[in-house]
Amino acid sequence: MSILLVDSYDSFTYNLRDLLLQSTNAHVITVHNDSYDLSSESDKTELDILLRSVDAIVIGPGPGSPSVASDIGIIPYVFEKCQSKPILGICLGFQILCLVNGCNVDYLKDPIHGQVHKIDIVDASSIFQNFPSSVDSVRYQSIYVSDITPSDSIKALAYYTDHKPGSSKVLMAAQHTKYPHFGVQYHPESICSTFGKELIQNFWKLVEATPSNDILPVLSHDKHLVTSSPLISEFKSTNDYNISYKTLTLDAFSNGQIDVLDLCDLLIAQKNDIMLLNSASSPGEWSIIALPSIGESEVITHSTENADVVKLSKWKSDSLPSTIHTNDMFEYLADYMKNKFYNPKMENIELKSCPFVGGLVGYVSYEEGSFIDTKKLSKRTKSDIDDTKLCFIDRFIAISPKKSIFIVSIKKKDDEFLSNIERILLSNTRKSDAVPLTELFAKTRIRTPDKSKYFDTFHKCQTFLHSGDSYELCLTYNTIVQIPDSIKPWEVYKSLVKKNPSPYSAFINFESSMLLSTSPERFISWTPKSCQMRPIKGTLKKHPKLNYEKACQLLRIPKEIGENLMIVDLIRDNLLYLLEKINVTKLMSVEEYETIFQLVSVIEGEFTNQFKGIDVLRNSLPPGSMTGAPKKRSVEILQQLEEQQRRGLYSGICGYWSVNDNADWSVIIRSLFRYFDDLECCEGFDTYRCGAGGALTVLSTDEGEWDEMLVKLHSVLQLFEETR
């Protein structure tokens, strides 16, 4: 038996699809609401065949209005054509059901997005059979059916009652009085909704009583279906590598201490280039000092300003890069890595637990993600901007959580390199002399966002939130930071990370772009068997009167919970688009960092089918915690409201993809980044940018969001503010 799921470009569709699969074991076919052009006779015929062939139809949620034709596509036609077929509408689908059957819809005065409310069941004879009298339900709702008593064709099944003075009941579920058409306003697929599976099972019982007589047509290659193909069918093991390493412990150092920054100082003093992925605090574990080789290490560069070209060059080489034409940058990366698979047998138990054994290290910008119209974006650099910059690393130093140091190479016969690095690290354990930076930092020029302009854009965001076009919009701005060019970037980074230790700190310096990161947020990590995402939504600045218990109270309020819940539901959807099994292992937990408290969730997925980590990465960009939901419509709105300005590396990702198919990528926040030919460049100064923003919901206030953005900026800019 089969179910047709109609998607209105929502960010929760695949949560709903998974709920359908788990509840019915039916075959679920997914199409977008604009997949078929009803003005085309061939499209209309194909759609009619599909509608006749399935046993039931589910109309999913989505942004926009049931009254706007471009928002709802084929859905009214589906209701008209399938009067005798069981249909279940969710949120937008529910609103369309009511609207086409004579009910009135209107905008809520106070929209509800990502909030858990109890709804009261008033008729338990059909989809609410054997339900308790009330259930917890997550609402993403700007529009409501304004008739307290529905039309002659629509029968009420459930209401929400707001007990505030002057409030009335809101219709939350209904069914057609004649046809087997049902709808619920809330989201049964949300992680915090209860009895979602029971709701679908009750609907399915009605379907099983009247199965379709038609045979489902062959649809596996139908152009209208929402499907995806894996980027890599399989990895091919290589014989090009052979791991060798030297081990240093605390005993090897005269003072019995190891500091990652000191090790980097020693390497830099001996003219070694470094790229640092520094786990300066929990939950980070291993720190990696990548050691690119001049003229040897391959560098991959991609710009969305020349999207069909990838450039392959050598680290700091004067030779012209090779130009590779490609339809998709991620396809190129997958093709590049599939022939480099290497999973060495490791004798050392501690080093065996290190996830990185060599591979790509670098960053990917926000603009490499989906739904961004890059052709409309303003220029930020004189040349094509670095959107992806990755270096293939075959030599590195790994520092374990136990503070053991491993000097590692996967190049064959590389003993001389290992001995040379060992000599450098053991030559001087004394910390390098601090550079007197206070006076120079005081000369830094900082241009923060304009408050009045921010407030104006904030209220434009609220218009979109109240209209139902988005549930959450992560509005962001770049701050310009011009630092005297007499200060070396490495010294800026060291000062930054000492002020703001973080689990995903990074120093990556290419010739054309640079990142100094103190990010606290993992985007995605993966192994060949599983992946993990850790979205952060909800931030409090630490101060002497704020302890952990108080922070929990302040962060676990409807506004913060709503922000986090929406992103958890969005990430579940991103994973379930490709994966068959996921699990939320931590939901809205408060974590403590050096300067802030944050609300964190953890979502994990298993690779039990043909898809791999790189597939999930491509499908999940840009990070949902930096866009809002539904992602497609939110990204489009934000691009408009942010005036076609590039976010650049901010809101992108930084990390590694190892040759053993382990990877760990952080969201680039709390960071400084630099383009060497930035249009804002000024003589005598190095021009950096610092992005900051926050997730706006209908519960946000302009002052509150402005203050939160300043808190995030302060975690980076305190380095310069305290010298003034």
Side-chain angles (χ1 to χ4, degrees):
M1 298 181 73
S2 58
I3 299 172
L4 175 65
L5 174 59
V6 181
D7 170 34
S8 293
Y9 295 96
D10 196 65
S11 285
F12 308 142
T13 297
Y14 287 88
N15 298 335
L16 179 57
R17 180 179 181 272
D18 184 64
L19 181 62
L20 295 173
L21 290 169
Q22 300 302 321
S23 305
T24 68
N25 292 317
H27 177 50
V28 180
I29 303 158
T30 308
V31 299
H32 291 312
N33 69 21
D34 60 356
S35 292
Y36 295 87
D37 180 1
L38 296 179
S39 66
S40 164
E41 285 302 319
S42 60
D43 267 20
K44 195 172 182 180
T45 298
E46 288 183 39
L47 176 58
D48 288 345
I49 294 172
L50 177 59
L51 294 177
R52 286 198 307 268
S53 303
V54 296
D55 297 287
I57 300 167
V58 175
I59 310 294
S65 167
S67 304
V68 177
S70 60
D71 290 340
I72 61 177
I74 64 173
I75 296 173
Y77 179 80
V78 172
F79 277 112
E80 177 187 352
K81 195 72 176 178
C82 302
Q83 293 179 346
S84 62
K85 194 172 297 281
I87 300 178
L88 176 64
I90 310 292
C91 196
L92 181 64
F94 163 78
Q95 295 163 9
I96 298 170
L97 166 67
C98 294
L99 184 64
V100 300
N101 285 287
C103 297
N104 297 309
V105 297
D106 203 350
Y107 290 96
L108 287 169
K109 180 182 177 182
D110 298 309
I112 306 294
H113 294 160
Q115 301 300 314
V116 182
H117 287 161
K118 285 192 178 296
I119 66 166
D120 300 316
I121 311 298
V122 297
D123 188 329
S125 62
S126 56
I127 57 173
F128 292 119
Q129 189 174 6
N130 298 321
F131 270 51
S133 59
S134 65
V135 294
D136 287 337
S137 304
V138 174
R139 296 171 65 188
Y140 295 98
Q141 183 178 4
S142 293
I143 294 172
Y144 75 114
V145 178
S146 57
D147 304 283
I148 297 177
T149 303
S151 69
D152 293 339
S153 300
I154 294 295
K155 173 185 176 183
L157 299 180
Y159 289 99
Y160 167 71
T161 302
D162 190 338
H163 297 287
K164 295 178 183 177
S167 299
S168 60
K169 295 191 296 185
V170 178
L171 187 65
M172 295 302 294
Q175 72 176 78
H176 198 281
T177 55
K178 182 179 178 181
Y179 308 131
H181 298 173
F182 306 84
V184 294
Q185 173 60 66
Y186 68 95
H187 284 242
E189 80 284 357
S190 173
I191 188 69
C192 289
S193 285
T194 58
F195 292 92
K197 188 172 184 178
E198 290 79 359
L199 176 85
I200 300 301
Q201 288 174 336
N202 283 338
F203 173 68
W204 194 239
K205 289 176 185 176
L206 302 172
V207 175
E208 290 177 322
T210 56
S212 171
N213 293 320
D214 288 349
I215 299 173
L216 190 67
V218 176
L219 293 163
S220 60
H221 301 292
D222 193 306
K223 64 181 180 180
H224 301 297
L225 301 187
V226 181
T227 60
S228 182
S229 300
L231 290 171
I232 299 176
S233 57
E234 63 177 343
F235 286 101
K236 298 177 183 177
S237 297
T238 180
N239 294 319
D240 292 343
Y241 308 129
N242 183 36
I243 195 164
S244 56
Y245 58 91
K246 284 183 174 291
T247 306
L248 302 177
T249 62
L250 291 175
D251 296 338
F253 295 84
S254 59
N255 60 358
Q257 295 181 352
I258 296 174
D259 183 275
V260 175
L261 300 182
D262 289 346
L263 297 181
C264 292
D265 277 331
L266 293 171
L267 292 163
I268 292 170
Q270 295 297 316
K271 309 301 182 184
N272 290 278
D273 290 332
I274 68 162
M275 303 169 74
L276 174 62
L277 300 176
N278 181 14
S279 295
S281 69
S282 178
E285 295 181 343
W286 288 80
S287 289
I288 304 296
I289 305 173
L291 299 169
S293 302
I294 294 176
E296 294 184 15
S297 299
E298 288 188 326
V299 177
I300 297 170
T301 303
H302 180 256
S303 174
T304 56
E305 294 181 307
N306 195 5
D308 60 349
V309 167
V310 169
K311 294 181 179 179
L312 188 63
S313 59
K314 297 296 180 65
W315 181 267
K316 291 188 176 180
S317 172
D318 293 330
S319 301
L320 291 175
S322 302
T323 298
I324 300 103
H325 291 273
T326 180
N327 294 323
D328 183 290
M329 189 272 295
F330 290 99
E331 287 182 3
Y332 172 80
L333 292 182
D335 189 61
Y336 180 89
M337 287 291 283
K338 74 178 182 182
N339 297 311
K340 295 180 179 292
F341 185 77
Y342 177 59
N343 193 18
K345 293 182 179 179
M346 206 81 69
E347 296 177 359
N348 187 291
I349 299 297
E350 191 174 5
L351 182 57
K352 188 176 182 179
S353 68
C354 180
F356 182 79
V357 295
L360 293 175
V361 175
Y363 37 70
V364 179
S365 80
Y366 174 84
E367 279 73 34
E368 293 281 19
S370 301
F371 314 126
I372 300 159
D373 189 348
T374 55
K375 293 180 180 179
K376 292 183 178 179
L377 293 171
S378 301
K379 286 284 291 181
R380 173 155 291 176
T381 54
K382 295 176 183 177
S383 59
D384 289 345
I385 196 168
D386 282 355
D387 282 306
T388 294
K389 201 82 172 181
L390 299 163
C391 182
F392 189 83
I393 296 298
D394 50 19
R395 293 167 164 174
F396 61 96
I397 299 168
I399 299 93
S400 76
K402 296 180 180 179
K403 299 301 182 183
S404 296
I405 298 176
F406 298 93
I407 307 165
V408 185
S409 174
I410 58 173
K411 297 182 70 169
K412 293 181 176 180
K413 299 179 180 180
D414 211 16
D415 292 342
E416 183 179 347
F417 161 79
L418 298 178
S419 297
N420 183 47
I421 297 299
E422 180 184 39
R423 178 186 56 77
I424 291 172
L425 297 186
L426 293 178
S427 64
N428 183 2
T429 59
R430 178 178 57 85
K431 290 189 176 182
S432 59
D433 294 332
V435 178
L437 301 174
T438 305
E439 291 185 13
L440 292 174
F441 279 156
K443 296 178 181 178
T444 297
R445 301 172 180 176
I446 299 173
R447 189 167 79 239
T448 55
D450 179 78
K451 186 175 182 180
S452 62
K453 185 175 182 180
Y454 177 88
F455 275 33
D456 180 62
T457 309
F458 171 91
H459 291 292
K460 289 178 181 177
C461 285
Q462 289 299 324
T463 299
F464 286 108
L465 295 170
H466 281 72
S467 67
D469 287 286
S470 179
Y471 315 133
E472 176 176 305
L473 290 168
C474 190
L475 180 65
T476 75
Y477 285 90
N478 273 187
T479 289
I480 304 297
V481 183
Q482 293 180 320
I483 303 173
D485 59 12
S486 54
I487 305 177
K488 294 180 179 179
W490 173 246
E491 299 301 330
V492 178
Y493 170 76
K494 286 198 298 182
S495 299
L496 185 64
V497 77
K498 288 175 181 177
K499 284 283 186 183
N500 190 29
S502 64
Y504 305 107
S505 168
F507 174 82
I508 299 179
N509 185 2
F510 291 101
E511 289 188 310
S512 53
S513 57
M514 177 192 303
L515 174 67
L516 318 179
S517 175
T518 59
S519 175
E521 181 174 355
R522 168 179 280 164
F523 176 56
I524 183 172
S525 64
W526 74 73
T527 70
K529 294 183 178 180
S530 63
C531 62
Q532 181 193 89
M533 302 181 81
R534 300 184 84 255
I536 291 176
K537 276 292 164 220
T539 303
L540 284 176
K541 182 180 179 181
K542 293 179 74 172
H543 57 79
K545 294 183 180 180
L546 183 65
N547 58 23
Y548 180 82
E549 289 73 20
K550 182 65 175 177
C552 290
Q553 295 175 13
L554 293 174
L555 285 171
R556 289 180 178 140
I557 60 175
K559 173 187 175 295
E560 307 295 354
I561 287 174
E563 288 183 20
N564 201 288
L565 173 57
M566 282 183 247
I567 301 307
V568 170
D569 280 343
L570 184 153
I571 288 175
R572 290 174 57 233
D573 179 90
N574 284 167
L575 293 179
L576 286 168
Y577 176 66
L578 300 176
L579 307 184
E580 297 170 351
K581 186 176 181 181
I582 71 161
N583 190 29
V584 178
T585 56
K586 183 183 290 187
L587 184 61
M588 291 177 269
S589 175
V590 177
E591 292 186 354
E592 182 176 0
Y593 298 93
E594 188 76 12
T595 60
I596 54 178
F597 292 98
Q598 298 209 281
L599 201 60
V600 181
S601 295
V602 177
I603 306 98
E604 298 180 347
E606 296 181 20
F607 297 125
T608 57
N609 53 20
Q610 73 270 37
F611 294 105
K612 299 176 174 63
I614 186 62
D615 301 298
V616 175
L617 179 69
R618 180 175 67 167
N619 183 60
S620 302
L621 291 173
S625 62
M626 304 307 296
T627 63
K631 185 186 280 189
K632 180 179 184 295
R633 185 72 63 91
S634 296
V635 167
E636 293 166 351
I637 291 169
L638 288 166
Q639 183 173 341
Q640 172 190 336
L641 294 182
E642 293 176 4
E643 299 179 330
Q644 309 297 339
Q645 295 297 311
R646 286 180 173 269
R647 292 190 181 183
L649 295 186
Y650 172 65
S651 298
I653 59 170
C654 166
Y656 67 80
W657 182 12
S658 177
V659 291
N660 58 1
D661 197 28
N662 292 329
D664 203 348
W665 301 93
S666 63
V667 181
I668 300 176
I669 54 176
R670 319 291 194 271
S671 303
L672 291 170
F673 61 99
R674 178 185 171 198
Y675 302 107
F676 285 80
D677 61 350
D678 195 304
L679 296 177
E680 294 280 352
C681 281
C682 177
E683 187 175 352
F685 292 85
D686 289 334
T687 296
Y688 292 82
R689 293 174 182 266
C690 179
L696 311 187
T697 71
V698 293
L699 297 179
S700 300
T701 64
D702 47 16
E703 285 286 355
E705 292 298 332
W706 174 258
D707 289 344
E708 182 175 325
M709 183 172 72
L710 294 183
V711 167
K712 294 170 180 175
L713 275 175
H714 175 74
S715 67
V716 177
L717 300 185
Q718 60 177 319
L719 185 63
F720 316 107
E721 293 168 343
E722 293 174 3
T723 62
R724 300 186 172 201

